[in-house]
Amino acid sequence: MPSLSAERRGPLLLAALAALLPMSANAQPESPYITRGESKRWVLQATVSLSSIPTANADRSASLNDPQTSDIKTSQRFDIEQGTVFWPLAGSAGSYDVDRRSATTEIRFDGSEVPVSVSVFERDTSGHPLHSGGAYTQASFGPIENVTAKSVLRFSVRAETFQTVFDEAAAREVPWPQGDWPREAASAFEPVMFLDGGFDGPYRDSKVAETVRRLTGGDPRSQPPVVTAKWIAGELAKTFRPSGQIVVPDARPGTPRVSGQSVGAIQAFNVTGAGPASQRGRGSPLDLPLLLAACYREAGLPARVVIGYSADAANRATEAFRRSDKAETGPYAWVEFALYDEQQPNPAMALTWVPVDILYMRANNVGRRPFDQPWEGFGTSEQLVDIVPVGYHLHPHNLAATSYGGSIQVRNRRREPMPSLWGWNLVPETPAAVTQTLAFDVTSPSVTASDPERRAGERP
């Protein structure tokens, strides 16, 4: 790893962008190290369509939980005493603010809309922030009688995204914390699905620790956090070999009429996991940010994976990523690591989540450029303004939720289930065998007088 002067400079106070107001109460305060530039506002909508599997095929399909936990045949009718649906929500960071207050959920069974009670929870029972500062919508409903598993779940939320400029020179002067990390950052060290293990349990053959030792000479703290983070990202961008797609495409014929979905209907996210990816040195494009986040955490840096959706994909006339998934189209992912400045006089500004767009960096050979120069994608980004964040987990974190991602064939001819962001619980039983499609839609809302918050001086 490169050396760096031990001289510590005071953090640079960046000019406030008066025209940009936070969209919600959970908005991140100004950071001394990240300046927001051009912004865009979006409405992100996700639609999940669930369909019954013929009884003859039900035994060959598995939910992401144990398929033996339910005896309900999805082609039969059943009663629901109570149901709860979970959908992830991101928070706020340098490149985005998600207005959690705007989150909505709509549920239909057999074509009929079901009354729901929707709330957003972002703290645990002890009052602490949820893992990595994320949140979930919780839509409760019931009782409902005589329904099938055929249903439509629709989620919507508003967000604002930004271009970012990272003051790397100032950030390099921030040392490792001498005390504890803030609660939101510290929670990122807790076990996370696909960073520490899969649906079968913890990874047994992970080489994440070995990778970090090799890349940092066995001492990640020998350099400031930003230097360590940049070095690891650059090396992984050069050596990891992603292939395939980020998603498991909808297997049905690729037309909106047949699939019942809009642009880009998918079954699930295609993921191997950080452990297996570290062992093989390759995986899906989604495995690269997963591996980077796992390496950051192994090095002692809190890190989270941000799952997002490219707003550009909503303007395409074809279902492009049924066949291919390019970095600029459809579902996407990047990493944010925590930079904690204990000497910051304003405690609200001490924690900064620094974005690392590792997929962009690899696609553009950014990691091969001089280390002492700024890298596009490392903190500074012109691309993330067009990526709407969804959440920080591929499967509902620490929630007893069943989901129905697709599955993929692995080398030993065993089919492995894949995650699909959302989850639900039904009482008395949740169907184990249901097929799904998941589709996203992104629009640019007009600002009206009824909006709860508008930019200063902006006319409707």
Side-chain angles (χ1 to χ4, degrees), residues 136-427:
Y136 285 89
T137 60
Q138 177 177 282
S140 301
F141 61 94
I144 309 174
E145 297 179 349
N146 197 32
V147 297
T148 69
K150 183 178 181 180
S151 57
V152 174
L153 317 175
R154 187 167 288 117
F155 312 94
S156 178
V157 70
R158 284 177 173 245
E160 186 168 11
T161 56
F162 304 86
Q163 292 183 346
T164 60
V165 177
F166 184 43
D167 190 343
E168 185 178 328
R172 283 189 177 202
E173 303 300 333
V174 178
W176 291 89
Q178 297 302 305
D180 295 333
W181 291 94
R183 180 76 186 190
E184 178 180 309
S187 68
F189 289 121
E190 298 171 6
V192 183
M193 188 79 74
F194 301 113
L195 293 185
D196 302 280
F199 292 113
D200 294 334
Y203 295 133
R204 294 183 293 272
D205 300 319
S206 175
K207 291 190 176 182
V208 170
E210 178 183 324
T211 299
V212 173
R213 285 194 298 270
R214 174 173 55 83
L215 295 181
T216 63
D219 187 6
R221 288 177 173 260
S222 64
Q223 301 296 333
V226 167
V227 175
T228 296
K230 187 175 183 180
W231 183 260
I232 291 174
E235 292 302 300
L236 286 183
K238 288 186 289 187
T239 58
F240 188 83
R241 294 181 295 166
S243 61
Q245 305 176 56
I246 284 181
V247 300
V248 179
D250 183 2
R252 292 178 289 180
T255 66
R257 171 175 290 184
V258 174
S259 70
Q261 296 287 6
S262 60
V263 174
I266 67 176
Q267 289 188 16
F269 287 81
N270 182 12
V271 54
T272 301
S278 68
Q279 184 179 25
R280 303 169 189 169
R282 62 183 184 274
S284 81
L286 185 54
D287 287 314
L288 181 52
L290 287 170
L291 178 57
L292 177 62
C295 287
Y296 279 167
R297 297 191 318 154
E298 179 65 29
L301 271 175
R304 62 192 184 190
V305 177
V306 187
I307 310 301
Y309 184 78
S310 172
D312 181 59
N315 298 320
R316 297 176 181 267
T318 60
E319 297 180 340
F321 52 90
R322 286 178 180 276
R323 301 177 179 85
S324 64
D325 188 70
K326 299 180 181 179
E328 71 275 10
T329 303
Y332 197 64
W334 67 99
V335 175
E336 292 172 341
F337 71 87
L339 180 67
Y340 180 44
D341 185 359
E342 289 178 307
Q343 298 185 21
Q344 168 58 239
N346 182 356
M349 299 174 64
L351 176 64
T352 298
W353 288 101
V354 181
V356 183
D357 190 349
I358 186 74
L359 292 175
Y360 175 88
M361 291 171 59
R362 186 187 186 282
N364 292 274
N365 292 318
V366 171
R368 299 185 183 278
R369 300 174 188 175
F371 190 84
D372 59 353
Q373 296 181 8
W375 289 354
E376 177 72 19
F378 185 81
T380 296
S381 175
E382 295 183 356
Q383 292 74 37
L384 292 181
V385 70
D386 289 314
I387 312 294
V388 185
V390 178
Y392 304 133
H393 302 94
L394 288 164
H395 183 70
H397 181 71
N398 282 350
L399 296 173
T402 298
S403 188
Y404 305 100
S407 61
I408 60 172
Q409 193 82 34
V410 294
R411 284 188 174 183
N412 60 4
R413 298 184 180 181
R414 182 169 59 94
R415 299 192 69 85
E416 292 186 349
M418 297 289 106
S420 58
L421 300 177
W422 73 283
W424 69 355
N425 286 319
L426 304 182
V427 177

Side-chain angles (χ1 to χ4, degrees), residues 15 23 39 43 62 91 120 160 162 185 198 221 233 259 311 381 434 436:
M23 292 191 65
S39 68
V43 173
V120 174
E160 186 168 11
F162 304 86
R221 288 177 173 260
S259 70
S381 175
V434 174
Q436 78 157 26

